[in-house]
Amino acid sequence: MAPEEQTSEIEPDDKDWTWVLQRRCEQCGLEAGRVPREQLAERFFLAFEEWVQILDENPAVEIRTDSHRWSALEYGAHVRDVLVLTGERLDLLLTQENPVFANWDQDEAAREGRYAEQDPERVAEDLEAAGQRLVSRIAEIEAAAWDRPGSRSNGSVFTVETLLQYILHDVVHHLWDVTGQQDGVSSLQLE
């Protein structure tokens, strides 16, 4: 199946996933709302490193194994963009009072960015760079800033902490989409 044919077959995801902050995701297994702020940087690091490994080592990274899911490459490009966007939103939360985040259509971003046609090595490099920037920024968050609020354009309210928990779920959930492994990064440790 050609990459250009693949992009048109996926049904857009218009679900509101904010519920993952209140309960365990049955699919990926992550209890995002229970990840302590002290562990967020490490959990992001472990997750994005797993993504880099998938993109670098999977010879079939461009192939969709299911007609209802993106390929590992497409998910990797999405995760890269999510990490970049999260860094931008985190900066807004830390520098503005009650910012409202502009709407971001992930499916439109995938089409316009031609995720299925991107170079896996470049996606891995860019994903790692975006992940490193985010992890560094998380490590710099001052204690008083974790509860700073902001909201999405649909009215969903986040704090610095809940935004990062929510996005961690996105990154881990897409690992599950690709590997079928439930919350694998929770069992990994930095050496």
Side-chain angles (χ1 to χ4, degrees):
M1 181 180 315
E4 59 273 3
E5 292 172 351
Q6 291 184 16
T7 54
S8 63
E9 294 178 17
I10 302 294
E11 185 175 323
D13 182 0
D14 58 2
K15 295 187 263 334
D16 181 354
W17 286 86
T18 54
W19 60 266
V20 301
L21 294 170
Q22 279 74 50
R23 63 184 190 273
R24 178 181 180 270
C25 177
E26 294 298 321
Q27 292 175 318
C28 74
L30 181 65
E31 291 183 79
R34 295 185 60 136
V35 176
R37 57 181 65 155
E38 299 81 21
Q39 292 180 13
L40 284 165
E42 180 179 4
R43 295 287 301 272
F44 269 105
F45 177 81
L46 293 169
F48 82 69
E49 283 297 314
E50 190 168 342
W51 269 110
V52 169
Q53 185 176 2
I54 288 167
L55 291 166
D56 282 344
E57 297 177 8
N58 183 345
V61 73
E62 298 156 334
I63 305 298
R64 286 188 178 165
T65 58
D66 180 332
S67 63
H68 301 291
R69 288 195 174 141
W70 285 341
S71 67
L73 173 60
E74 291 168 290
Y75 278 119
H78 168 72
V79 168
R80 174 206 55 209
D81 289 355
V82 164
L83 293 172
V84 169
L85 183 67
T86 301
E88 294 168 359
R89 289 181 174 184
L90 181 58
D91 287 342
L92 288 174
L93 283 169
L94 295 172
T95 61
Q96 296 182 13
E97 293 299 319
N98 294 307
V100 176
F101 310 133
N103 187 42
W104 183 64
D105 183 328
Q106 67 182 18
D107 299 299
E108 181 179 329
R111 281 188 304 277
E112 288 182 7
R114 301 172 75 113
Y115 286 178
E117 298 172 34
Q118 293 191 17
D119 174 36
E121 269 184 46
R122 181 58 189 254
V123 172
E125 290 170 9
D126 292 346
L127 188 153
E128 185 167 31
Q132 290 285 7
R133 280 191 302 275
L134 182 60
V135 166
S136 294
R137 192 71 172 112
I138 293 169
E140 297 170 354
I141 298 172
E142 296 179 9
W146 282 97
D147 293 321
R148 290 181 60 94
S151 59
R152 283 196 312 207
S153 56
N154 69 356
S156 296
V157 176
F158 293 92
T159 63
V160 168
E161 182 173 19
T162 60
L163 175 70
L164 292 172
Q165 291 169 327
Y166 176 76
I167 297 301
L168 179 63
H169 171 264
D170 194 67
V171 174
V172 170
H173 193 91
H174 293 317
L175 283 171
W176 172 81
D177 283 322
V178 170
T179 68
Q181 180 180 354
Q182 280 204 337
D183 192 17
V185 295
S186 68
S187 63
L188 301 175
Q189 299 284 331
L190 287 176
E191 295 179 20

